[in-house]
Amino acid sequence: MERNAMKEHLKKMLGADQVLTEDLDLLYYSYDSSFLTKLQMSAPDTVVLPRSTEEVQKIMQFAYENRIPLTPRGAGTGETGGSAPMSGGIVMDLSSWDDIVEVDAANMQVTVRPGVIHSELNDHLAGFNLFFPPDPGSSKMCTIGGMVANNASGLRAVKYGCTEQYILGLEVVLPDGRVITTGGMKSKAIKNVSGLNITKLFVGSEGILGVITQVRLRLFPKPKGRGIVMAVFSELDDAPRAVLEVYRAGILPSGIEILDSSAIKAVNEFKPHINLPDAEAILLFEVDGNPPSVEWEGTTIVEIVSKFAQTVEWATEPDRMAALWEGRSVTAAAATRVRADGSRIFAGEDISVPLSGVADALRKIRALGKKHGIQVVNYGHIGDGNVHTAPIIDPENPEEVERALKLVDDIHLLAIELNGSTTGEHGVGAVRREYARLEHGDAVDMMQAVKNALDPHKIMNPGKVF
Amino acid sequence: MNLKEVPLLNEQLKKCVRCGRCRTVCPVLAEIKNETVAPRGHIFMVQALRDGKVKPDAQVYDRLSNCLLCETCSGVCPSGLDIPELNEYARSYIYEKNPSMIKDALFDSIWTRPSLLRAGGFFMWAANKSGLQGFARTLGLTKLLPGGLSKAEQIMHDPVMRTARATLPVINPPRGNKKFRVGYFLGCGTDLFSPSVAIAAVEVLTSWGCEVVIPDNMKCCGLPHIANGKISTAQDLAIHNLKVFNDLELDYIITDCGSCSSAISEKRLKMLLENQGYDEQIERFCSRVHDLNTFLLDIVGIDNQGLKPLNLKVTYHDPCHLAKAQGIRQAPRDILGLIPGLELIEMQDSDRCCGASGTFSITHYDLSMKILNRKMKTIADTGADVIATCCPSCTLQLKHGSNLHYNNTPVQHPVELLALAAGQES
Ligand SMILES: Cc1cc2nc3c(=O)[nH]c(=O)nc-3n(C[C@H](O)[C@H](O)[C@H](O)COP(=O)(O)OP(=O)(O)OC[C@H]3O[C@@H](n4cnc5c(N)ncnc54)[C@H](O)[C@@H]3O)c2cc1C
Ligand code: SF4
Ligand code: SF4
């Protein structure tokens, strides 16, 4: 369809204030948080901002009939180019559709529209003493729709898992405009194994199968107690060993974070007052639950970890916990300040390896950094083997960029070689699809078959996932 | 200006990782919910402008001007970007490339001439002459004015007949022994729209032994020019004001206005006059500059002696340029705390922008009113009898809001209330 005719049609359909058509405005939809979209700019032909299922349905039908590519978008905080329109067409910005439809406290669930921001949902739920446990680092900016589409998680995934475990049902508008409700049309049940699990098909589908227009989430009661153990290691290998021993003792902390020497250095340079000890690794264990069990778990962790660590500290007092956690909370920011003339980039940032391979992975990533002459800062969720690597480069120096991209490729291949995955939580998007066959083999054909069945004209978010 | 040659801008652009953290706090984005007004979007556009991917034209200027320069985003940016500052550079760059875009009359001819300003305020002048509609048309501002201008006129609902300068002498002698000789950086907003603040400030200062000098040749702090893409005029103004105040024998320099004090802060002035050989003059000037509230508390050391009770419920709105740009939050509250009987009731999100931002409320009236409505709701929830704040631009805006939604509740500077408690006739 001719570009201007498409714009006019959509304006008529939705009203001018819900459609962006000026070339200048469209440029703002050429990026997300990925480094890829800093390198290449691919703008849509139109942006639509629907705020009802009917509107989404009409737009989808229009796109389907006219074979126009359509890319759903939340807050654009994905690190994979997932919400960037690689083939132009329509970008559907769902971030302004942010109603909390119903908090059903009696049934421990909430129904929301896709644009609700994660932290704002949890702030609202706090009034009911409930929470939605997955906690991405982007909690203050990412949308629930984006979290479902990317199956996001965070540093508490060790205990609470990923978004998928909390999705009781979805409303999805399919590429041809049909609307389905998964998890039971009228169901308010928490337990439900009726039918094929279509819900899970859409969780983590990265916008390539349909548009998520409503989400019914399972909630947990908010834990009353919390405590932090900080352990400092002179040997990197002792860190994962200590983690394993803690698990063996029957303790499942709510988070276990690692800063390796590169991250420790970056933090100390950025905020000297934090003054982390010079070490090979620092682990932070977070435990939560009832105050007596928190106390028991914390002191038991101290006992176990002391066998491996140089120093160990346990705190439940809020100020002290905040002080112990501060180093971790500023790591990402610190990585942007390592070089005055550069920054960290979001690329090769999310590999996941078996727990037993974490120390090996960290060492090998550092060696790869050396090989390509690129400084790296490593931190991550060691509790489930998810390593975040921040390459530090001058993003405006093409030669450095080229070296960084080679490093990123090596990091992804390393993850597969170590029996891990190229992405633990951020997703594939446009940046990791080239590894699909290597990671999944013929299972990719099955993915393709599902995609073809739902989206025969291949209009949904082309150029992503596989 | 060549954007590629502004070191600060280039260093910062590299550091934006497009994480989007700044999105959720932006008061403009909360109203116009799309990426074109996101702080991250502004940074993207500044970069596109620098790299020649977009033309420096009125359209780009228009997008960049959807920003209150309120600094809220900078406060949360993990990479430490000064987002509004980059925006200001970009606006200035576009302005330079398109000098006819906004006619010079507004910022060069009027705002730089105290005599014209003093003739009753340029807004009053303009409104009387042709109404704001006509005024904007003459200046070629209409394309920048999506909001109805006739509505914007209402913000100036309360014409002031005598400006502060017309009321106060240049030298205001201290009462009793002279403690300090204080220069008063009397900003345009206070002079024109809130002269009662200046009168109260002089009253309090002189009664605490300060001789107050209000130089009649000082000019605007330059913030409106920076915000509207006229950095070179702002530079001229800064150089002029440095000379005026540095030539006077003064112990201190104070200002009642949060926007002025942020514009004449050392960080800002050094950036504005980078590599132009003014560092020494700036240091001499800035080492003496204080916000009125902190000056009274920390240097004059005022207390509550002799203050009569004011049985009022007061809520305090934190001006962006005072609270976010300078971190001054407690001092105005402490001034209010000195007054017996006065009950301070905190509103929710007291540092959320009120939508005024100098000329923004005129150039973006409808949007500004949406932002103001949120503010007024949190104010109404407190049930306060008086709204206190330390910025003439916020004061005008909140007065307008209180007119529309809140029974004309008065809006006053904490020092006005202090003067009242000290016995100044209202
Ligand atoms: C600083 C930072 C920290 C981060 N930390 C974490 C972390 O700890 N854990 C983690 O998992 N992720 C993290 N992320 C990545 C990112 O925030 C998450 O993937 C998040 O879920 C994306 O949400 P969004 O609203 O920004 O979605 P977007 O980036 O806009 O979109 C992401 C994908 O979802 C699709 N999509 C969005 N909405 C819909 C919808 N309604 N229907 C169908 N498809 C849709 C898009 O097409 C795209 O493919 C981080 C990102 C940043 C910048
Ligand atoms: S918070 Fe800072 S780094 Fe993140 S997108 Fe905004 S300006 Fe860029
Ligand atoms: S300065 Fe204020 S209005 Fe401007 S982008 Fe930042 S938060 Fe938004």
Side-chain angles (χ1 to χ4, degrees):
Chain A
M1 187 180 206
E2 202 263 321
R3 208 165 164 246
N4 283 339
M6 167 177 83
K7 292 178 179 180
E8 285 316 308
H9 187 93
L10 288 166
K11 270 197 212 162
K12 248 190 231 135
M13 184 194 289
L14 299 168
D17 62 330
Q18 281 175 251
V19 186
L20 301 176
T21 54
E22 301 259 343
D23 285 348
L24 194 61
D25 292 333
L26 301 174
L27 291 180
Y28 292 89
Y29 285 84
S30 62
Y31 59 80
D32 63 0
S33 304
S34 64
F35 185 56
L36 175 78
T37 56
K38 273 200 139 184
L39 296 178
Q40 63 184 55
M41 207 151 107
S42 168
D45 297 307
T46 302
V47 175
V48 290
L49 296 114
R51 281 169 212 135
S52 73
T53 308
E54 293 69 35
E55 285 175 354
V56 173
Q57 191 176 15
K58 278 196 270 177
I59 300 163
M60 272 319 323
Q61 276 164 350
F62 172 71
Y64 189 79
E65 278 159 22
N66 294 285
R67 313 284 191 263
I68 303 168
L70 186 142
T71 304
R73 178 182 171 102
T77 70
E79 298 180 10
T80 69
S83 57
M86 297 301 164
S87 319
I90 300 171
V91 162
M92 184 182 281
D93 178 347
L94 293 143
S95 66
S96 69
W97 191 11
D98 57 359
D99 309 306
I100 297 175
V101 181
E102 186 198 13
V103 181
D104 184 352
N107 291 308
M108 309 272 286
Q109 50 195 274
V110 65
T111 303
V112 299
R113 292 301 182 179
V116 175
I117 302 285
H118 176 260
S119 68
E120 288 174 11
L121 175 62
N122 270 341
D123 289 348
H124 186 78
L125 294 172
F128 301 87
N129 218 15
L130 293 168
F131 81 128
F132 166 47
D135 59 331
S138 49
S139 162
K140 289 213 164 80
M141 54 268 198
C142 72
T143 66
I144 300 295
M147 286 184 70
V148 176
N150 273 0
N151 193 8
S153 54
L155 59 84
R156 299 200 177 98
V158 177
K159 177 168 174 178
Y160 293 106
C162 316
T163 298
E164 67 177 330
Q165 278 145 266
Y166 299 86
I167 313 293
L168 296 171
L170 297 172
E171 178 186 85
V172 182
V173 178
L174 298 175
D176 61 7
R178 272 176 299 163
V179 182
I180 56 162
T181 302
T182 73
M185 289 287 286
K186 296 201 303 194
S187 173
K188 284 272 187 173
I190 290 179
K191 221 172 165 197
N192 180 353
V193 294
S194 159
L196 283 182
N197 197 337
I198 302 287
T199 306
K200 289 229 165 155
L201 185 61
F202 287 97
V203 180
S205 64
E206 300 197 20
I208 67 166
L209 299 182
V211 181
I212 295 151
T213 48
Q214 184 159 285
V215 185
R216 188 161 62 90
L217 290 169
R218 177 177 189 187
L219 305 173
F220 274 12
K222 249 173 99 78
K224 291 229 178 318
R226 181 170 172 257
I228 304 286
V229 178
M230 185 202 243
V232 180
F233 297 85
S234 51
E235 294 293 330
L236 183 60
D237 291 283
D238 285 338
R241 270 186 212 134
V243 172
L244 194 63
E245 286 304 312
V246 167
Y247 287 151
R248 282 201 181 127
I251 298 172
L252 191 56
S254 47
I256 315 177
E257 293 293 294
I258 184 165
L259 306 185
D260 83 351
S261 54
S262 64
I264 295 171
K265 190 160 168 269
V267 167
N268 285 342
E269 274 169 16
F270 175 44
K271 297 264 173 190
H273 78 268
I274 297 179
N275 198 15
L276 293 174
D278 189 14
E280 273 299 297
I282 289 178
L283 287 188
L284 288 154
F285 295 82
E286 185 201 61
V287 288
D288 71 356
N290 299 320
S293 68
V294 164
E295 192 60 36
W296 180 82
E297 289 188 357
T299 47
T300 310
I301 292 174
V302 171
E303 225 171 86
I304 295 166
V305 173
S306 298
K307 288 182 220 147
F308 303 91
Q310 246 172 286
T311 58
V312 186
E313 183 180 345
W314 159 239
T316 49
E317 189 261 320
D319 283 350
R320 192 60 202 147
M321 282 197 290
L324 293 182
W325 199 257
E326 195 181 358
R328 174 63 186 90
S329 66
V330 305
T331 310
T336 66
R337 324 286 174 102
V338 169
R339 261 174 78 167
D341 66 342
S343 177
R344 66 102 38 105
I345 55 169
F346 288 128
E349 80 298 341
D350 189 38
I351 65 162
S352 177
V353 295
L355 193 52
S356 57
V358 170
D360 199 21
L362 289 173
R363 255 192 303 269
K364 287 189 165 140
I365 292 169
R366 277 192 246 159
L368 287 172
K370 276 215 180 84
K371 175 179 147 198
H372 293 285
I374 303 280
Q375 193 179 347
V376 291
V377 171
N378 286 318
Y379 56 101
H381 318 312
I382 187 177
D384 46 25
N386 195 180
V387 176
H388 292 323
T389 299
I392 316 289
I393 64 164
D394 174 352
E396 289 173 8
N397 177 338
E399 187 270 327
E400 259 187 70
V401 168
E402 202 177 308
R403 275 189 283 131
L405 294 180
K406 285 192 184 132
L407 165 69
V408 165
D409 185 37
D410 277 352
I411 291 175
H412 286 135
L413 294 174
L414 172 72
I416 298 171
E417 182 195 314
L418 293 176
N419 302 327
S421 160
T422 55
T423 173
E425 57 188 21
H426 296 169
V428 176
V431 299
R432 288 183 264 268
R433 64 192 286 246
E434 64 187 281
Y435 307 103
R437 229 1 107 180
L438 205 56
E439 274 202 82
H440 303 289
D442 291 347
V444 174
D445 299 332
M446 217 60 244
M447 296 182 198
Q448 196 74 62
V450 172
K451 163 87 175 163
N452 290 346
L454 289 172
D455 182 21
H457 300 314
K458 300 185 175 50
I459 58 168
M460 288 303 300
N461 208 358
K464 312 290 164 66
V465 187
F466 47 79
Chain B
M1 189 200 319
N2 179 347
L3 290 181
K4 287 205 163 109
E5 282 162 17
V6 181
L8 175 131
L9 181 132
N10 287 289
E11 201 178 288
Q12 295 209 13
L13 284 181
K14 284 183 192 175
K15 293 201 179 292
C16 175
V17 288
R18 302 209 180 131
C19 67
R21 175 66 187 95
C22 50
R23 274 175 55 92
T24 12
V25 298
C26 173
V28 174
L29 189 77
E31 307 302 337
I32 303 181
K33 299 178 171 188
N34 71 57
E35 187 74 20
T36 68
V37 298
R40 173 175 66 173
H42 294 316
I43 295 299
F44 165 79
M45 197 42 76
V46 173
Q47 185 165 356
L49 192 62
R50 182 203 61 179
D51 296 343
K53 294 197 171 129
V54 295
K55 289 202 196 81
D57 60 15
Q59 270 200 40
V60 175
Y61 191 98
D62 175 63
R63 302 305 187 277
L64 290 170
S65 69
N66 279 322
C67 163
L68 297 151
L69 307 175
C70 69
E71 308 255 0
T72 316
C73 48
S74 303
V76 299
C77 171
S79 303
L81 267 83
D82 192 331
I83 299 156
E85 194 169 351
L86 301 198
N87 188 328
E88 286 163 4
Y89 271 110
R91 289 191 207 179
S92 210
Y93 171 70
I94 299 172
Y95 189 90
E96 262 182 42
K97 300 273 169 215
N98 304 274
S100 61
M101 211 170 66
I102 306 168
K103 293 262 167 45
D104 287 350
L106 178 57
F107 292 105
D108 279 357
S109 311
I110 303 175
W111 222 310
T112 54
R113 269 193 248 160
S115 55
L116 253 185
L117 277 170
R118 240 170 281 159
F122 82 89
F123 282 123
M124 245 63 71
W125 166 78
N128 286 342
K129 210 162 169 221
S130 56
L132 269 177
Q133 294 276 12
F135 178 50
R137 226 171 286 124
T138 338
L139 297 177
L141 269 170
T142 36
K143 62 175 176 302
L144 292 173
L145 301 173
L149 258 186
S150 52
K151 287 186 274 174
E153 257 165 317
Q154 296 162 21
I155 299 179
M156 260 53 77
H157 59 96
D158 190 13
V160 171
M161 298 328 288
R162 253 168 94 79
T163 64
R165 284 167 192 284
T167 314
L168 293 163
V170 173
I171 308 274
N172 298 269
R175 274 186 247 140
N177 288 341
K178 180 159 107 182
K179 266 191 180 164
F180 306 119
R181 188 157 199 259
V182 177
Y184 192 163
F185 194 103
L186 178 55
C188 315
T190 302
D191 184 31
L192 300 173
F193 304 119
S194 300
S196 55
V197 173
I199 294 165
V202 169
E203 172 70 22
V204 172
L205 286 162
T206 51
S207 71
W208 279 88
C210 298
E211 179 187 13
V212 182
V213 184
I214 311 175
D216 58 355
N217 53 347
M218 68 156 280
K219 292 184 179 177
C220 174
C221 68
L223 200 62
H225 308 81
I226 294 175
N228 289 282
K230 295 242 56 189
I231 285 194
S232 61
T233 314
Q235 287 168 334
D236 294 343
L237 290 166
I239 293 165
H240 173 85
N241 287 331
L242 284 176
K243 178 155 173 42
V244 167
F245 281 89
N246 281 345
D247 281 355
L248 291 168
E249 287 298 316
L250 299 168
D251 301 314
Y252 295 100
I253 299 159
I254 58 100
T255 174
D256 63 86
C257 166
S259 296
C260 289
S261 56
S262 83
I264 60 174
S265 66
E266 187 167 336
K267 176 180 160 238
R268 275 251 169 202
L269 286 178
K270 280 198 169 158
M271 235 134 42
L272 188 64
L273 301 175
E274 200 179 7
N275 299 330
Q276 295 191 29
Y278 287 97
D279 279 9
E280 215 172 290
Q281 284 195 48
I282 292 171
E283 279 156 29
R284 184 167 135 65
F285 173 74
C286 292
S287 62
R288 292 174 295 160
V289 172
H290 292 269
D291 156 64
L292 175 62
N293 304 287
T294 46
F295 178 71
L296 288 170
L297 291 163
D298 300 344
I299 294 170
V300 179
I302 62 164
D303 56 31
N304 60 4
Q305 267 189 15
L307 296 182
K308 61 175 195 242
L310 295 183
N311 291 319
L312 290 173
K313 285 191 212 150
V314 178
T315 190
Y316 177 72
H317 160 71
D318 282 291
C320 297
H321 286 127
L322 196 65
K324 288 172 199 141
Q326 302 179 78
I328 299 175
R329 293 168 187 268
Q330 194 50 41
R333 292 177 166 82
D334 287 346
I335 294 274
L336 294 168
L338 288 175
I339 302 168
L342 185 150
E343 186 189 350
L344 177 65
I345 305 173
E346 290 290 349
M347 68 181 87
Q348 205 192 332
D349 299 331
S350 63
D351 65 355
R352 192 185 174 92
C353 181
C354 66
S357 188
T359 45
F360 186 91
S361 57
I362 310 286
T363 54
H364 297 72
Y365 180 78
D366 290 338
L367 171 57
S368 169
M369 288 306 112
K370 285 189 186 156
I371 298 168
L372 175 62
N373 287 352
R374 283 186 200 246
K375 180 97 263 177
M376 293 317 297
K377 173 147 191 341
T378 57
I379 289 176
D381 287 346
T382 65
D385 311 310
V386 176
I387 307 161
T389 193
C390 298
C391 165
S393 172
C394 299
T395 301
L396 265 185
Q397 176 89 338
L398 294 172
K399 271 188 185 165
H400 186 49
S402 132
N403 224 353
L404 294 174
H405 311 283
Y406 197 30
N407 306 329
N408 250 329
T409 303
V411 185
Q412 291 185 293
H413 194 289
V415 172
E416 280 184 278
L417 292 166
L418 184 72
L420 194 64
Q424 187 197 33
E425 282 172 31
S426 57

